[in-house]
Amino acid sequence: MVSQNTVSRTSLTSDDKNALSACDEIGKILTELIPSTAPEDEFVKDYTRINFSRDAGQGRGAGKLQRDAICTRGRQAKAPFSNRNLRWNPLVLSQNCPTAFVSAEIDIDDAHKKLIFKKSSTQKVMPEDIWKESKPLCICATAWEPYKNILRTWTQDDWVANWCGIPIIEYCSVKQAVCSYGILGVITASALFSADLHSAYTEVKSYLKDKNLLVSDYPDEDKSLLDCPLCRSPINGNPAGLQERARPEVWKPPWQHNKRSEGEDSSLQLMHVKPLTESQVNHTPSNVRYGHRWCNVAMTDHGIDQTMEWMNSVIKNWQ
């Protein structure tokens, strides 16, 4: 039976723990700014709750901010991708190896269905020990070619013990991840829970600066932070200010958890103003925002400019 966990999910370095603790403190700062008329407990439960793990925990684990800002997307695949991991995880998978990473090769133990990562002919790292690496390793496309016919025979259960890497497009530094948590926290506290934007922005930025976590591209304070980056309507309302549609009921087994609300047009989703690419780090505080699900789906893996160009072309075709 396939596990839900990434490899070594509860193993953390001191830097990992410090980053998670910093996010926890930011959550507490923002919670203090939630007025008594707003549901403070909901803000903590749904957004700022921290789980000290690599994958944000399961069930009653982390809140949305940890899952979005400092963890990669959840996935289960016949591949070495983690089912969520920290965005600064020291193993990335890429077409090519950037200069900032240590290029590594692979070997396989087919009898035990284990990948082996080779930093050199004498330095080998197993999947369960990747988290200990001080410099991020990169496995590029060519490394997998000699083994592809064997690896395609592994079952999903076989891959569970090898879920230890992340796509390089989702990678960022510790500081970029924590600052992304900070700005997304400010946005949700202000837009959804009535915290004063200026106070939230100022106190979080001050904390980041005091802890030497502030990055140079941290965005300026602006009311537009509370708007969807595509339709430019408030994130606590409907996409483009349209009237809410009535979705037809669809049967779902009543014994299963209902996630239907996540499919609403106005559901809050993480968005990147510039799309994630392998050529540069784009999960940064200046590039992450919250927006409507409808808008996020419309963008797919395109940027704002490309999406607007497409929309304008569609409109012209209807004129």
Side-chain angles (χ1 to χ4, degrees), residues 76 109-110 148 172 181 214 220 228 238 252 254 258 281 294:
Q76 293 187 24
D109 177 354
D110 193 38
K148 63 184 181 182
C172 71
Y181 184 100
L214 191 65
D220 294 331
C228 173
N238 293 321
K252 182 177 178 64
N258 190 353
V281 175
W294 189 352

Side-chain angles (χ1 to χ4, degrees), residues 57-100:
Q58 298 177 35
R60 295 180 60 81
K64 184 172 176 60
L65 293 176
Q66 180 174 346
R67 298 195 307 270
D68 289 346
I70 64 177
C71 287
T72 59
R73 288 172 290 182
R75 61 170 73 194
Q76 293 187 24
K78 295 180 181 180
F81 297 118
S82 297
N83 185 28
R84 292 199 186 280
N85 207 328
L86 297 173
R87 287 186 181 269
W88 58 89
N89 180 60
L91 177 67
V92 299
L93 309 171
S94 176
Q95 277 294 115
N96 302 293
C97 184
T99 55

Side-chain angles (χ1 to χ4, degrees), residues 47-67:
Y47 290 91
T48 67
R49 185 168 53 188
I50 293 292
N51 184 280
F52 279 79
S53 67
R54 309 192 70 80
D55 64 353
Q58 298 177 35
R60 295 180 60 81
K64 184 172 176 60
L65 293 176
Q66 180 174 346
R67 298 195 307 270

Side-chain angles (χ1 to χ4, degrees), residues 78 110 113-114 150-155 158-159 162:
K78 295 180 181 180
D110 193 38
K113 300 297 187 284
K114 272 293 188 78
I150 297 175
L151 294 176
R152 65 164 51 102
T153 68
W154 287 14
T155 67
D158 294 332
W159 279 105
N162 298 281

Side-chain angles (χ1 to χ4, degrees), residues 133-150:
E133 292 297 302
S134 58
K135 292 185 178 180
L137 306 179
C138 178
I139 310 295
C140 63
T142 55
W144 303 98
E145 285 297 317
Y147 307 100
K148 63 184 181 182
N149 290 330
I150 297 175

Side-chain angles (χ1 to χ4, degrees), residues 83-314:
N83 185 28
R84 292 199 186 280
N85 207 328
L86 297 173
R87 287 186 181 269
W88 58 89
N89 180 60
L91 177 67
V92 299
L93 309 171
S94 176
Q95 277 294 115
N96 302 293
C97 184
T99 55
F101 296 83
V102 176
S103 180
E105 298 295 323
I106 66 164
D107 200 352
I108 61 171
D109 177 354
D110 193 38
H112 298 92
K113 300 297 187 284
K114 272 293 188 78
L115 297 175
I116 302 169
F117 304 100
K118 301 189 297 182
K119 295 193 291 184
S120 69
S121 59
T122 58
Q123 292 180 299
K124 299 181 180 181
V125 186
M126 300 302 290
E128 59 268 24
D129 295 322
I130 283 294
W131 66 277
K132 301 176 184 178
E133 292 297 302
S134 58
K135 292 185 178 180
L137 306 179
C138 178
I139 310 295
C140 63
T142 55
W144 303 98
E145 285 297 317
Y147 307 100
K148 63 184 181 182
N149 290 330
I150 297 175
L151 294 176
R152 65 164 51 102
T153 68
W154 287 14
T155 67
Q156 187 146 313
D157 283 329
D158 294 332
W159 279 105
V160 171
N162 298 281
W163 282 349
C164 60
I166 66 172
I168 196 170
I169 62 171
E170 297 195 50
Y171 178 88
C172 71
S173 71
V174 175
K175 289 185 177 181
Q176 287 168 326
V178 175
C179 284
S180 294
Y181 184 100
I183 198 63
L184 292 175
V186 169
I187 290 170
T188 52
S190 303
L192 306 181
F193 294 89
S194 304
D196 178 69
L197 174 60
H198 178 70
S199 299
Y201 179 91
T202 302
E203 292 199 25
V204 168
K205 185 174 182 179
S206 177
Y207 174 82
L208 292 169
K209 185 176 181 180
D210 289 345
K211 296 297 181 180
N212 194 31
L213 291 168
L214 191 65
V215 294
S216 59
D217 68 336
Y218 196 78
D220 294 331
E221 179 187 345
D222 194 287
K223 290 183 178 180
S224 65
L225 291 171
L226 311 185
D227 295 336
C228 173
L230 181 62
C231 73
R232 295 186 174 180
S233 293
I235 61 172
N236 62 346
N238 293 321
L242 295 173
Q243 184 176 353
E244 184 176 359
R245 66 172 174 144
R247 296 176 69 201
E249 289 294 326
V250 177
W251 183 84
K252 182 177 178 64
W255 54 89
Q256 294 182 356
H257 178 61
N258 190 353
K259 292 187 176 181
R260 186 169 168 80
S261 62
E262 297 177 8
E264 297 291 345
D265 295 331
S266 59
S267 294
L268 210 62
Q269 291 193 349
L270 176 68
M271 297 178 68
H272 293 89
V273 178
K274 296 178 182 178
L276 298 178
T277 68
E278 292 197 354
S279 60
Q280 64 185 98
V281 175
N282 273 348
H283 185 81
T284 64
S286 63
N287 197 48
V288 297
R289 292 293 181 273
Y290 275 133
H292 306 111
R293 176 182 179 275
W294 189 352
C295 300
N296 197 30
V297 170
M299 285 181 64
T300 62
D301 60 351
H302 298 89
I304 297 290
D305 292 343
Q306 288 178 309
T307 304
M308 293 303 298
E309 182 180 357
W310 166 72
M311 288 180 171
N312 285 328
S313 294
V314 171

